[in-house]
Amino acid sequence: MTAKVAVIVGSLRKGSVNHVFADALAKLARPRLDLQIVEIGDLPLYNQDLEGELPPAVQRFKREIEAADAVLFVTPEFNRTFSAAIKNAIEWGSRPWGKNSWAGKPGAIVGATLGAVGTAAAQSQLRSVASAIGVALTAQPEIYLNYRDGLIVDGEVTDESFKKLLLDWTGNFADWVARLKAPTLQF
Ligand SMILES: Cc1cc2nc3c(=O)[nH]c(=O)nc-3n(C[C@H](O)[C@H](O)[C@H](O)COP(=O)(O)O)c2cc1C
């Protein structure tokens, strides 16, 4: 069985290392996980006044999250936290009241920076927000990627030990998704 994972990439720029990282993970995760990037760049800034009739981009976004078996956040670190683009997507996914598209999804967080911190601060803050919207996150292994040129070429990870770590990570995430998707026991 292949589980469908909605991937939220927190950087909107062309050439984003987080985008490159997400594409590489998608390759390594097959066939157990089908990682599909969900567009967040077209979402308007969250405004409660727009909740009466949700903008088309928001409706499309919520449908894609709801159709997925799990979610994966791939975050850059901006000023020691996760990106505003992710926070905006989180707001829309969680609203209107009673229509939280995230609720009960298994999930995971990874991230890449060009700096030595490797998104540790961003991931830590995103973790607390994800728990508030009802996403059940994996704990270990964690991946804080300090990206360097040549690490991922044409979607392939060139460093064998890092590739092994990512394969372990994808296997662990697939196990987590399978466990949380298991039918609830009836007594
Ligand atoms: C506004 C801004 C703030 C940043 N703050 C941090 C930071 O706090 N920690 C860090 O490691 N890198 C920081 N960086 C560097 C980013 O890690 C780097 O630009 C990275 O390439 C962003 O991810 P992307 O390539 O996916 O866009 C910052 C970059 C920008 C543009």
Side-chain angles (χ1 to χ4, degrees):
M1 187 209 80
T2 300
K4 211 170 142 192
V5 181
V7 181
I8 312 295
V9 178
S11 169
L12 306 183
R13 75 181 182 100
K14 289 190 195 76
S16 154
V17 299
N18 282 281
H19 217 295
V20 169
F21 184 27
D23 286 344
L25 270 180
K27 273 195 177 179
L28 293 172
R30 289 184 205 126
R32 291 188 70 196
L33 300 175
D34 176 21
L35 270 58
Q36 295 288 339
I37 293 175
V38 175
E39 178 62 50
I40 61 171
D42 59 348
L43 297 175
L45 268 185
Y46 174 75
N47 177 342
Q48 197 169 359
D49 290 342
L50 302 179
E51 284 191 5
E53 191 177 340
L54 291 178
V58 175
Q59 292 184 31
R60 187 266 314 150
F61 174 73
K62 288 178 72 69
R63 264 198 314 272
E64 288 184 32
I65 298 300
E66 285 160 22
D69 299 306
V71 294
L72 169 63
F73 295 98
V74 184
T75 185
E77 184 164 295
F78 290 158
N79 298 313
R80 293 291 180 267
T81 187
F82 56 94
S83 67
I86 290 185
K87 189 65 165 52
N88 191 49
I90 284 175
E91 258 68 295
W92 278 122
S94 71
R95 296 294 298 186
W97 173 250
K99 301 257 163 87
N100 179 3
S101 307
W102 308 105
K105 302 271 178 201
I109 300 175
V110 296
T113 68
L114 304 178
V117 181
T119 71
Q123 289 193 40
S124 163
Q125 299 200 16
L126 181 49
R127 212 158 246 289
S128 67
V129 175
S131 73
I133 55 171
V135 172
L137 293 173
T138 55
Q140 299 290 334
E142 295 161 294
I143 296 181
Y144 304 111
L145 176 54
N146 174 204
Y147 189 87
R148 58 172 167 76
D149 277 348
L151 182 63
I152 298 169
V153 177
D154 296 332
E156 299 290 340
V157 178
T158 58
D159 179 303
E160 283 307 316
S161 63
F162 184 53
K163 186 171 179 176
K164 160 104 179 43
L165 175 71
L166 294 184
L167 281 169
D168 288 350
W169 182 91
T170 56
N172 180 73
F173 186 31
D175 289 346
W176 179 250
V177 174
R179 201 174 318 145
L180 294 192
K181 268 179 62 66
T184 312
L185 291 175
Q186 301 287 329
F187 292 97

